[in-house]
Amino acid sequence: MRRTSLTVGVLAATVAIAAGSLTAARAGGTPVALVTAETENALLAISLADGRVLRRVALPADPENVVADVGVTAVVVSARGHAVSLLDSRSLRVLKVLRDFGAPHLAAVTRDGKRAYVTDDARGQLATIKLASKRVVDRLAVGAGAHHLTISPNGRRLWLALGEQARTVVIVDTTQPSSPRILRRFEPGIAVHDLAFSPDGRQVWLTSANSQSVTVVDAHSGRRLFAVPAGRPPQHVAFNYAVSNLSRVAYITSGNSGRIEKVDTRNGRVLRVARVPYGSFNVTTAGGLVLTSSLTNGTLTEFTDQLDVMRSVKVAPATRDVGVVVW
């Protein structure tokens, strides 16, 4: 996709607003996007000020997902490479590559930045990595196809979906972070793709693998609260934890529909819809920024929190996932 055309004045004002929001959330530094370029077996550092590729780091085959916005360690999962890479989030120096995995897929890092949880769908496990020691400290059998996962804001619960079209969600007790245990299994009555806790921890948003809606359930009881109209499945969802007045807002992407929407978390009302490049499935937020990456077009697209486009730039043949760090 060609770079989005904006006038210099509008772009400068938009960048100032977004950068100001990010600075308020995390004092000092320059926001940088970390993007997985899986067909190139690389992690890219992209300047959010101008879309330039600042750094390129070689990784094990097929790096898919990255978690980079918590703590000082970036975690990159490579399914085909059977590996989880730990990198210094500022220098991008590879600290360690953990290779004893079947097919690791998704990672989540605790809010204190001390541990990462990784799903291994080939082995049906949830692996716990202690980031200080850079080693796996626990492997919990959860069921075949362990895939997307989310941790509650207080770090006491973890929900994971068994498969990309999951009929079963496993709820895990993580009050003892290095020794998680299964609490129960939950059948939400839909085919779940992605899932995410709301910032207040009261809701879990379940995106669909086969319908044009996202289901929101009570985090304690699993009771359905409401549904949000969305684009063609699968969808992904992200919240803005860093800015308090945005915590009532969710962003839902549908790469197959080429759309992103801003949603009120209190009632599921869609506040705004914008276009994204086709294949922009994954989404992340940082301060006043909303970022999507296109698996199909290899673009990184930046929005303000109001879904005004700042820029969309092609950075690789395929961009799977995106995280944000401050340098």
Side-chain angles (χ1 to χ4, degrees):
M1 178 178 175
R2 63 182 177 83
R3 188 176 178 129
T4 301
S5 176
L6 294 172
T7 65
V8 173
V10 172
L11 178 58
T14 305
V15 171
I17 292 170
S21 297
L22 184 60
T23 301
R26 300 182 67 174
T30 301
V32 174
L34 300 185
V35 177
T36 52
E38 63 177 298
T39 59
E40 297 183 319
N41 299 332
L43 180 71
L44 309 180
I46 310 294
S47 167
L48 292 180
D50 55 20
R52 290 183 302 116
V53 178
L54 302 175
R55 205 165 300 168
R56 181 184 300 266
V57 180
L59 291 176
D62 208 19
E64 293 187 353
N65 296 95
V66 56
V67 181
D69 58 348
V70 181
V72 296
T73 304
V75 181
V76 183
V77 181
S78 301
R80 190 161 58 87
H82 315 291
V84 176
S85 300
L86 308 180
L87 300 90
D88 182 289
S89 61
R90 291 183 65 88
S91 67
L92 293 193
R93 179 171 63 90
V94 177
L95 303 173
K96 191 168 186 178
V97 178
L98 303 170
R99 296 187 179 275
D100 187 16
F101 292 90
H105 263 109
L106 277 299
V109 175
T110 55
R111 297 292 298 278
D112 60 11
K114 293 182 178 180
R115 290 168 181 80
Y117 296 104
V118 176
T119 53
D120 188 336
D121 64 358
R123 296 181 180 178
Q125 295 178 338
L126 176 70
T128 304
I129 300 171
K130 192 171 182 179
L131 295 177
S133 62
K134 305 173 189 61
R135 64 188 183 91
V136 176
V137 295
D138 188 79
R139 296 182 190 270
L140 176 67
V142 291
H147 212 79
H148 284 92
L149 74 166
T150 181
I151 305 174
S152 64
N154 64 11
R156 298 175 65 85
R157 294 291 182 269
L158 181 149
W159 287 35
L160 66 87
L162 294 184
E164 293 188 88
Q165 302 181 42
R167 293 291 179 178
T168 300
V169 172
V170 181
I171 300 176
V172 178
D173 182 344
T174 50
T175 53
Q176 298 296 323
S178 294
S179 302
R181 64 184 182 89
I182 295 174
L183 281 179
R184 63 187 179 97
R185 298 176 187 272
F186 168 55
E187 296 184 0
I190 61 171
V192 176
H193 183 72
D194 192 13
L195 26 65
F197 272 96
S198 61
D200 62 10
R202 297 177 180 176
Q203 304 169 344
V204 180
W205 289 49
L206 308 175
T207 74
S208 178
N210 60 5
S211 72
Q212 293 188 204
S213 65
V214 173
T215 299
V216 181
V217 300
D218 181 87
H220 178 69
S221 66
R223 177 177 59 88
R224 181 184 181 275
L225 300 174
F226 53 83
V228 182
R232 285 183 291 158
Q235 307 96 10
H236 289 266
V237 61
F239 302 91
N240 199 313
Y241 284 81
V243 183
S244 60
N245 65 339
L246 294 178
S247 64
R248 294 190 299 271
V249 173
Y251 297 94
I252 298 173
T253 55
S254 174
N256 286 328
S257 290
R259 66 181 263 165
I260 183 171
E261 57 193 51
K262 178 180 178 180
V263 180
D264 190 325
T265 61
R266 295 168 295 184
N267 51 29
R269 183 167 66 92
V270 177
L271 302 173
R272 189 169 185 185
V273 176
R275 303 300 301 173
V276 292
Y278 183 82
S280 296
F281 296 103
N282 288 321
V283 56
T284 193
T285 65
L289 298 175
V290 180
L291 307 174
T292 66
S293 50
S294 172
L295 182 61
T296 305
N297 293 339
T299 52
L300 174 67
T301 303
E302 303 173 42
F303 296 90
T304 68
D305 53 55
Q306 298 301 317
L307 294 187
D308 295 317
V309 177
M310 294 169 62
R311 65 176 51 80
S312 187
V313 57
K314 186 177 179 68
V315 297
T319 51
R320 167 74 72 163
D321 197 13
V322 57
V324 177
V325 294
V326 177
W327 285 5

